[in-house]
Amino acid sequence: MDNPVEDVIVVEGLVHSFSRERVLDGVSFTVKRGSVFAVLGRNGAGKTTLVQCLLGQLEPRAGTLTVLGRAPWRERAKLMQEVGVVPEAPDAPPAWRVRDALAFCARLSSCWDWNEASARLKRFGIPVMRRVSELSRGQKAQLQLCLALSARPRLLVLDDPVLGLDAVARRELYEELIRDLADRGTTVLLTSHDLDGVERLADEVAIISGGAIVARGTVEELKNEWFGRLGNYPGLEEIFVRVVRNGGVA
Amino acid sequence: MRAVTVVAWYELKRNWPLFPGALLMGVLAWTAPLVPGLHQWDPETVREVAASVVAVALMAFASLILGSAILGGSVASGREGFFLARPVGAVPLWLGRMMAVLILSLAAPALVLVPLALARPGRMIALFCAPSPLALVLLLLPGAIAAAGLVRIMLKTRSVWLAALAAVVAGVYLVQLRLILRPLFRIALHADGVLRAGSFAVLPLIWSAAFLVGSAVAATRGRSDARRAASAGVGTVMVILLILTAVLTGAVYWVNAATPADITEVATLVPAPEGSWVLVAAQVRRAGVTLPVTFVLDTSSGVWWRWPGTWWQVVGNAPFSRNGRFVAWWDDRGANPGRLSAVVRVTALPKGVRGTPRTVRTVPAPTWVAPLGMALSPSGKMLATVFGGVLSVWNVRGTGRVTRIATGDGIVTWLRVSDSGDVWLGTRSGRTGAGRTMTITARHVAPTGHAWDVIWKEASVTYLSHVACDTPGRPANVVALAIAREDGQGRLVVMRFDAPGALWSAPLGTLWPVRQMIPFGATRIVVVSRRAPMAEAPLAPSVIACITREGVAWRRTIGKIGWAAVGPGPDPGTAVVIVNRHPGTRLAAPSCERLSLETGGMTPIGSNLVPAALSWLIPQLPTPGSPGTRVFVRNRRTLLRLTTSGRLVPVPIR
């Protein structure tokens, strides 16, 4: 199962547009194995589009894209054996019971871990017989995380997983994530508006604005860079706001 | 495959309430006779009708609503990401969903019929498992499901330009259908086996395939992008639909555009009385399809025109004017019982190799069924038609209808019109067999000229055959009758339509059933009969007799079980006979011989000549010596022309 690929995600000049509106305009970055890479951006900045391109759900108009050494658009089904996804909107069919969602994913996955799935659901306190439509927003997100992690992915893609969650649910989700990272060293690509959570988890951060990455580096590197400009150590939120407002120029 | 079954299974599981619901509907349909107002009907029939209606409605509901929800719903509602985040390809995902909807759409109606099937299994099989309707449903259902899913995605995008494009393509497609349906139906009607079934199935197949492929393309190219899914899917449907239908249209038109060179068998050959045009009703074969086609062919130049009329008109009517320059035909294209849109057209045939046939007169038909009789005057100036019991005379080159007269019931056996508009009409009662003639002019009707049975008053008529004695340039108002009494004695009577009494008559001796009467002028009639109680009796010789005012001039018997057909000869004073002296045996081979009308002597022309002479059974005979009397068919394929030197040469096809 060991893959010699050091860079789990390689994106070069990625362009995507809807109708005449260019949403991604020459995005380039790499994500190293075992790291947590966070993509920050305002609403509509192109984060979800970027994630959908990475997952092979949208075909890029231009640029090259490899995830775990595969082209996502052409090899999506194979790629998804190694990628776990927690989408922005928990979108499991509402009529399904939790059990159905688990069984569906288990039947399609080649390395599904039922024990892990059961233990995780127990920790979250989600009854397996409950319908998806009857779960709370937080429980839906937890279910999605459970579905994503139980397939033992090498890459975990989290598209704003804590959007709309209360503080407790957010913390439980992050704790579960940190536990998995500690256990298996999964590579994570995360998009979020929760900058505190990102600051705690992320090894590297990219800020996307107007379809392009306008700032990128480790949290420490960004802080050091902005210390030079501002004269004090700003928080990630302060950096994000300044970068987005000024297009990366101090 | 595993992914397909997993997806299908979960979609079925999601929609399982449909199954008990369908069963419940079946039980309710079973109790339909209890509904007030229905109890006076046969309970079994009520149950069958109720169950059938519910089953069909449920199938429509399941295919369209579930097709829309399952195939297009997750993309339209933005939930496709859940499925695309799993290790399942877009195609297996689509296939699994399609399979699930298909099972739901077929199983639910089947469950509705379960109570009925348990009660009357044989009847259910007969009703619902007939191969053709079942095959049609199986062909159309996947397409309907795919179309429903695609429409759902398209509606989600609310793209005006896509909707407009789809509307334009739908319009083009409808035009294509309008063009193709009639010629395709023609092929389906005449093709055999797989080709016949294929002709009926090809349009539903194209429609279904277009939507199936379009839906699959929408799923694979669009994935989570509804707009892209819609444009890719709809675009694919349009391209497939238009291209395949265009190709099919081309193929169908190509098959239908057979030429006389494609003739495999000539059914009937009708020469114009004068001139060189002939009508050839034949079987043509193209791309494995055999079709009946009729051509109007100029045997001297090889120019031909595809006869648009219905092929069987060729036998029943005498469509040419005597000079061979005009032809009348019943155009039933677009005719239907609701619209009296059929017409009779009079077409002028071109002279020489240049020019095309052109309609010189269109006469409205008062009904959508074919005319009972139709005739053109010698120069083509007047047209007479009999629809039902009404005779109309039209001036083709002038003002229109000149006469309209009710002629009463009866089968039209004889119809001739002169250039001045006088009509000679012979009818025979289908009930009694008694015939009567009429002379009709623009000014008056001579009601019932002469009933057949009063001409020869010695006994009631038991057998009657007749033929008109046309002379060149004039329509016949002279008719020859062969009449038999109950004691079997026959007499030939030649009479005028417009005058009482016979011109002349002669005894025929024992009159066997007459197969043919061929007049050579009004003074010499050749009668072909079969020496057997029935005309078509297989084991009897044919007898050819030449009758003049003086009686039987000569008589020839053809073999012991021979068969003969006589037609006008290539020169005056001769006839052509197709004879087969051993029909139905190993030695059977028709040969063509020249018959001297003076002596009855026969000299061979050629062998293996198929009787173009069949056409000589029609009322309008070619003038002796006209080119139309010299065309034959060899081996049912090649049209041959008899030259003046006695050689047979192929008719050129341009």
Side-chain angles (χ1 to χ4, degrees):
Chain A
M1 283 294 289
D2 262 359
N3 193 319
V5 176
E6 186 61 29
D7 291 332
V8 171
I9 299 174
V10 179
V11 180
E12 282 286 335
L14 180 66
V15 175
H16 193 77
S17 56
F18 291 111
S19 297
R20 288 173 193 161
E21 187 189 355
R22 188 167 276 209
V23 180
L24 297 177
D25 192 4
V27 172
S28 302
F29 65 89
T30 55
V31 177
K32 297 219 179 308
R33 189 157 54 154
S35 68
V36 176
F37 188 92
V39 179
L40 306 179
R42 296 188 68 187
N43 290 336
K47 301 189 296 294
T48 299
T49 303
L50 174 64
V51 166
Q52 287 182 321
C53 287
L54 290 172
L55 296 177
Q57 295 180 11
L58 290 178
E59 186 179 21
R61 299 282 187 269
T64 57
L65 191 60
T66 53
V67 177
L68 293 168
R70 296 183 192 278
W73 179 255
R74 291 200 307 273
E75 301 173 272
R76 188 187 56 77
K78 285 179 186 166
L79 179 64
M80 286 301 114
Q81 287 286 5
E82 300 178 287
V83 179
V85 183
V86 178
E88 183 181 7
D91 52 3
W96 281 8
R97 296 181 191 281
V98 170
R99 178 186 66 175
D100 295 332
L102 288 170
F104 180 79
C105 296
R107 289 204 166 119
L108 293 173
S109 176
S110 57
C111 40
W112 184 264
D113 189 334
W114 269 111
N115 293 332
E116 202 174 309
S118 303
R120 201 165 273 129
L121 281 181
K122 194 173 276 181
R123 278 203 296 279
F124 290 143
I126 301 175
V128 291
M129 292 308 290
R130 186 161 292 175
R131 289 191 190 282
V132 171
S133 58
E134 294 165 354
L135 297 178
S136 69
R137 182 81 173 77
Q139 283 177 318
K140 282 179 185 169
Q142 286 167 334
L143 173 63
Q144 293 292 342
L145 186 65
C146 176
L147 294 175
L149 292 177
S150 301
R152 297 184 155 271
R154 294 177 57 213
L155 169 67
L156 186 63
V157 177
L158 305 155
D159 186 12
D160 226 342
V162 295
L163 184 70
L165 299 192
D166 62 43
V168 177
R170 221 163 35 221
R171 172 158 296 188
E172 281 176 356
L173 197 131
Y174 281 137
E175 281 171 356
E176 194 62 39
L177 197 57
I178 289 164
R179 186 177 291 129
D180 190 77
L181 292 176
D183 288 350
R184 295 194 291 119
T186 311
T187 307
V188 176
L189 184 127
L190 167 72
T191 74
S192 182
H193 291 115
D194 177 23
L195 299 182
D196 286 344
V198 168
E199 199 165 349
R200 272 169 47 204
L201 279 173
D203 299 317
E204 200 171 351
V205 172
I207 299 174
I208 192 166
S209 178
I213 290 180
V214 290
R216 192 186 145 194
T218 63
V219 176
E220 286 309 311
E221 281 171 355
L222 287 176
K223 283 184 176 177
N224 285 336
E225 186 185 337
W226 282 87
F227 174 74
R229 295 177 185 178
L230 299 174
N232 60 350
Y233 275 105
L236 189 56
E237 186 172 331
E238 176 71 17
I239 295 169
F240 174 71
V241 170
R242 284 183 177 271
V243 166
V244 169
R245 275 189 184 160
N246 303 326
V249 181
Chain B
M1 194 59 203
R2 180 180 162 75
V4 174
T5 51
V6 168
V7 173
W9 170 249
Y10 275 88
E11 292 296 351
L12 287 173
K13 207 173 165 189
R14 257 168 80 176
N15 295 283
W16 70 269
L18 188 67
F19 296 125
L23 208 53
L24 183 66
M25 285 186 204
V27 173
L28 289 176
W30 178 260
T31 61
L34 300 176
V35 174
L38 292 180
H39 59 268
Q40 74 267 32
W41 300 91
D42 173 36
E44 291 300 321
T45 308
V46 171
R47 283 185 188 122
E48 272 181 23
V49 171
S52 308
V53 169
V54 172
V56 170
L58 198 60
M59 183 182 283
F61 166 82
S63 58
L64 298 180
I65 303 297
L66 295 182
S68 158
I70 295 176
L71 279 179
S74 51
V75 175
S77 62
R79 293 186 179 278
E80 191 68 349
F82 174 80
F83 296 96
L84 294 177
R86 311 301 144 203
V88 53
V91 172
L93 188 60
W94 177 84
L95 265 178
R97 287 169 172 169
M98 175 56 75
M99 192 192 284
V101 185
L102 263 178
I103 291 170
L104 288 163
S105 304
L106 289 171
L111 284 171
V112 170
L113 302 173
V114 162
L116 215 57
L118 288 176
R120 299 174 72 190
R123 175 76 178 143
M124 281 299 95
I125 291 168
L127 264 181
F128 295 99
C129 296
S132 302
L134 197 66
L136 193 67
V137 165
L138 291 177
L139 270 181
L140 286 173
L141 203 59
I145 292 167
L150 206 52
V151 168
R152 172 84 181 264
I153 297 171
M154 200 173 137
L155 290 178
K156 163 71 180 172
T157 64
R158 298 178 187 218
S159 170
V160 176
W161 73 265
L162 202 58
L165 191 63
V168 169
V169 171
V172 175
Y173 180 62
L174 287 177
V175 171
Q176 283 182 328
L177 281 186
R178 175 84 178 79
L179 288 173
I180 202 173
L181 277 180
R182 195 179 169 92
L184 185 63
F185 182 68
R186 187 175 144 79
I187 291 176
L189 209 61
H190 297 289
D192 294 322
V194 177
L195 210 56
R196 182 188 180 89
S199 304
F200 279 116
V202 67
L203 277 177
L205 199 65
I206 287 178
W207 189 87
S208 222
F211 277 100
L212 272 176
V213 176
S215 174
V217 167
T220 52
R221 300 298 300 170
R223 301 194 188 174
S224 61
D225 185 350
R227 184 173 283 270
R228 193 173 186 211
S231 54
V234 173
T236 305
V237 170
M238 289 169 181
V239 168
I240 292 178
L241 211 55
L242 292 188
I243 289 180
L244 286 189
T245 312
V247 168
L248 181 68
T249 306
V252 164
Y253 272 81
W254 182 77
V255 168
N256 271 284
T259 71
D262 299 310
I263 288 175
T264 57
E265 187 173 330
V266 174
T268 306
L269 196 142
V270 184
E274 293 168 15
S276 51
W277 288 93
V278 288
L279 262 169
V280 186
Q283 301 270 15
V284 294
R285 190 167 179 83
R286 267 203 178 185
V289 184
T290 304
L291 295 172
V293 179
T294 305
F295 301 101
V296 187
L297 175 69
D298 186 342
T299 54
S300 58
S301 67
V303 171
W304 58 272
W305 170 50
R306 178 124 176 208
W307 169 265
T310 314
W311 68 271
W312 48 262
Q313 292 180 33
V314 174
V315 180
N317 291 292
F320 285 108
S321 63
R322 174 154 283 280
N323 65 4
R325 308 277 359 133
F326 296 89
V327 63
W329 53 285
W330 182 62
D331 187 356
D332 65 342
R333 290 173 294 181
N336 68 50
R339 291 181 297 137
L340 305 180
S341 51
V343 292
V344 174
R345 293 185 195 280
V346 178
T347 301
L349 297 167
K351 292 176 184 172
V353 296
R354 291 180 180 276
T356 52
R358 62 186 174 85
T359 298
V360 292
R361 186 89 201 179
T362 300
V363 172
T367 168
W368 62 279
V369 295
L372 295 173
M374 199 158 67
L376 276 171
S377 66
S379 71
K381 182 184 170 189
M382 292 290 181
L383 166 73
T385 60
V386 179
F387 282 100
V390 177
L391 173 117
S392 299
V393 181
W394 306 80
N395 187 334
V396 172
R397 298 169 204 167
T399 51
R401 182 151 54 192
V402 294
T403 308
R404 183 177 186 278
I405 286 168
T407 57
D409 294 334
I411 300 161
V412 175
T413 53
W414 187 244
L415 179 63
R416 278 291 181 270
V417 59
S418 73
D419 282 332
S420 59
D422 294 345
V423 173
W424 295 281
L425 173 68
T427 62
R428 195 168 55 196
S429 164
R431 189 163 47 86
T432 64
R436 61 186 188 139
T437 63
M438 283 181 221
T439 304
I440 299 160
T441 69
R443 292 170 299 284
H444 71 281
V445 182
T448 57
H450 311 281
W452 307 132
D453 53 0
V454 300
I455 295 168
W456 194 22
K457 294 179 180 173
E458 294 168 25
S460 61
V461 174
T462 58
Y463 184 78
L464 175 75
S465 185
H466 71 280
V467 67
C469 307
D470 286 8
T471 51
R474 289 198 66 223
N477 61 347
V478 175
V479 64
L481 311 169
I483 306 171
R485 292 190 314 204
E486 281 178 341
D487 62 1
Q489 291 301 300
R491 178 172 283 273
L492 185 83
V493 178
V494 178
M495 53 165 279
R496 286 173 63 102
F497 270 91
D498 51 356
L503 289 175
W504 60 271
S505 71
L508 292 171
T510 301
L511 181 63
W512 299 102
V514 173
R515 185 175 170 79
Q516 266 191 294
M517 289 175 65
I518 310 100
F520 291 84
T523 56
R524 189 157 43 188
I525 314 291
V526 171
V527 177
V528 181
S529 55
R530 205 77 194 269
R531 192 169 286 175
M534 290 185 299
E536 301 305 324
L539 299 174
S542 288
V543 177
I544 305 174
C546 181
I547 319 296
T548 64
R549 286 171 184 270
E550 286 72 40
V552 178
W554 51 260
R555 183 179 272 142
R556 283 192 68 111
T557 303
I558 308 295
K560 288 185 177 175
I561 50 171
W563 171 94
V566 178
D571 47 68
T574 63
V576 168
V577 194
I578 303 293
V579 292
N580 189 341
R581 291 185 169 79
H582 310 280
T585 69
R586 278 191 306 115
L587 300 171
S591 64
C592 180
E593 301 185 17
R594 188 181 299 218
L595 173 69
S596 165
L597 294 174
E598 292 299 326
T599 63
M602 292 166 69
T603 49
I605 295 175
S607 60
N608 285 327
L609 289 172
V610 173
L614 276 179
S615 63
W616 297 334
L617 293 173
I618 67 156
Q620 192 181 30
L621 290 166
T623 306
S626 77
T629 63
R630 304 182 198 169
V631 180
F632 304 95
V633 185
R634 169 165 285 164
N635 301 329
R636 296 194 169 272
R637 184 179 285 272
T638 317
L639 293 176
L640 296 171
R641 198 157 43 107
L642 182 64
T643 62
T644 47
S645 62
R647 282 195 315 118
L648 287 162
V649 296
V651 172
I653 306 293
R654 296 177 78 92

